[in-house]
Amino acid sequence: MAGARPTVRRRRVAAKLVEFRERAGKSPQEAAERIGCHRTKINKIENARLGISLGELRDLLRFYEVDEPAVVDDMVSLAQRSREPGWVQRAGLARPSFTDFIDYEKSADYIRSYQSNLIAGLLQTPEYARAVLSAPPSTLGHEEVEALVESRIKRQEVWECADPPRMCVIETEAALRLQVGGRQAMRKQLEHLESMAEHPSVEVQVIPDRAGAHAGLSGSFVLFGFPNPTYSDVVCIEHRTGTLYMETQEETAEYTLIFDSLRSIALSPGDSLDLIAQVRQDL
């Protein structure tokens, strides 16, 4: 339905079509004339408010001179699956793709991340990430682990952009004290966390152990906000075999409430930095 909330995959189709059209130097009006529709339809497709037929998609890709078979196949596959529930990548896949999650990191203008056990992925060092990815009973081979570490670190290039997203990270004291990769690796990770907390777009707060029971005990999550007003917030929860996406207003409102509650009991950014430094010195 045209009025339904855009799914994860429809958003990706829309974003890629805009990218291809602009790269080809075509206007929305030219795209509309190509497939024989009104310009408003192109606007709705590019805002993910309306799906696109496979015939129209293939025609636009030819018009935009997108002729790499792998790219075309990926776009067709995304369009075919765009009406499936976008909030779940099903278990059963040997290596679930986190492409949607990475795309959200790139396109979001506000990222709220609560981490109960680990340092947030966008703030991890290579050594820390390697230890996380290879933790037993991991079945990943050395090359697979290294490829994933490289990918995770490459995601951090977002902080080098001219207009990086605003990110608020809430960590638990337990996550700071968990010696992932050993004492030396953890010291280096905490040093990096302190450094990133000084980044103008990053805010880090820590929930101290003494806070007791709180709303985050059910687990970690990331809440993405987007500059496009037609895109609702998205909650992402990573698990062992994939990623759960939640996009309804009720779901995102609930997690916004949880995040705000966690912020209220966390230490201030300044006091959080002091605690991070203290934990690092204790190692």
Side-chain angles (χ1 to χ4, degrees):
M1 294 176 59
R5 287 181 178 273
T7 65
V8 171
R9 296 184 181 100
R10 185 187 289 180
R11 294 186 193 199
R12 287 185 56 209
V13 170
K16 295 300 291 185
L17 282 174
V18 172
E19 176 186 331
F20 292 146
R21 178 178 59 75
E22 292 180 343
R23 191 168 66 190
K26 306 296 185 182
S27 69
Q29 182 61 41
E30 289 174 312
E33 292 172 358
R34 172 72 180 201
I35 63 174
C37 70
H38 195 275
R39 176 175 171 170
T40 56
K41 179 174 179 177
I42 295 297
N43 291 338
K44 288 180 179 179
I45 290 172
E46 292 187 350
N47 284 318
R49 293 165 56 199
L50 182 68
I52 185 171
S53 73
L54 297 186
E56 291 172 333
L57 175 63
R58 291 183 184 277
D59 199 10
L60 283 179
L61 291 177
R62 284 193 293 269
F63 187 49
Y64 300 154
E65 299 181 354
V66 178
D67 52 14
E68 297 178 43
V71 176
V72 173
D73 289 347
D74 183 53
M75 288 294 291
V76 169
S77 176
L78 279 173
Q80 287 175 323
R81 293 179 291 135
S82 65
R83 291 180 176 83
E84 296 177 3
W87 44 265
V88 64
Q89 292 192 4
R90 291 170 175 78
L93 298 176
R95 287 290 177 265
S97 169
F98 291 96
T99 304
D100 295 326
F101 189 91
I102 294 172
D103 283 349
Y104 282 162
E105 285 184 338
K106 292 179 180 178
S107 58
D109 65 349
Y110 186 28
I111 303 174
R112 285 162 286 182
S113 176
Y114 164 66
Q115 300 298 317
S116 59
N117 297 306
L118 296 172
I119 304 301
L122 283 176
L123 305 180
Q124 290 180 6
T125 63
E127 295 83 1
Y128 185 96
R130 187 174 294 111
V132 170
L133 293 166
S134 57
S138 175
T139 58
L140 297 174
H142 175 73
E143 292 185 359
E144 291 177 291
V145 169
E146 291 305 310
L148 288 171
V149 170
E150 182 180 355
S151 174
R152 184 163 297 188
I153 300 307
K154 188 172 181 59
R155 284 158 51 190
Q156 298 176 10
E157 292 178 0
V158 68
W159 303 123
E160 301 172 11
C161 297
D163 187 24
R166 183 164 59 100
M167 184 175 188
C168 180
V169 178
I170 298 177
E171 299 279 353
T172 65
E173 184 176 345
L176 304 182
R177 295 190 181 279
L178 187 64
Q179 293 185 24
V180 175
R183 295 167 68 90
Q184 184 174 351
M186 199 62 206
R187 277 197 297 268
K188 188 172 182 180
Q189 173 60 72
L190 293 177
E191 287 174 356
H192 182 64
L193 185 60
E194 290 176 81
S195 175
M196 289 304 302
E198 301 287 354
H199 190 286
S201 294
V202 179
E203 181 178 270
V204 177
Q205 290 183 258
V206 178
I207 298 176
D209 288 343
R210 65 175 182 271
H214 54 72
L217 294 180
S218 58
S220 304
F221 62 90
V222 180
L223 184 58
F224 291 106
F226 304 93
N228 188 331
T230 65
Y231 288 2
S232 60
D233 290 352
V234 177
V235 178
C236 298
I237 300 177
E238 292 186 63
H239 54 87
R240 188 70 180 181
T241 56
T243 305
L244 175 69
Y245 296 97
M246 292 178 281
E247 304 175 80
T248 69
Q249 184 176 357
E250 293 77 14
E251 291 167 333
T252 57
E254 177 72 14
Y255 275 88
T256 297
L257 183 64
I258 291 172
F259 193 86
D260 290 344
S261 173
L262 295 174
R263 273 188 98 171
S264 71
I265 65 167
L267 299 175
S268 68
D271 289 343
S272 294
L273 265 177
D274 291 342
L275 179 56
I276 295 169
Q278 183 59 57
V279 173
R280 174 175 52 80
Q281 292 167 9
D282 290 343
L283 288 173

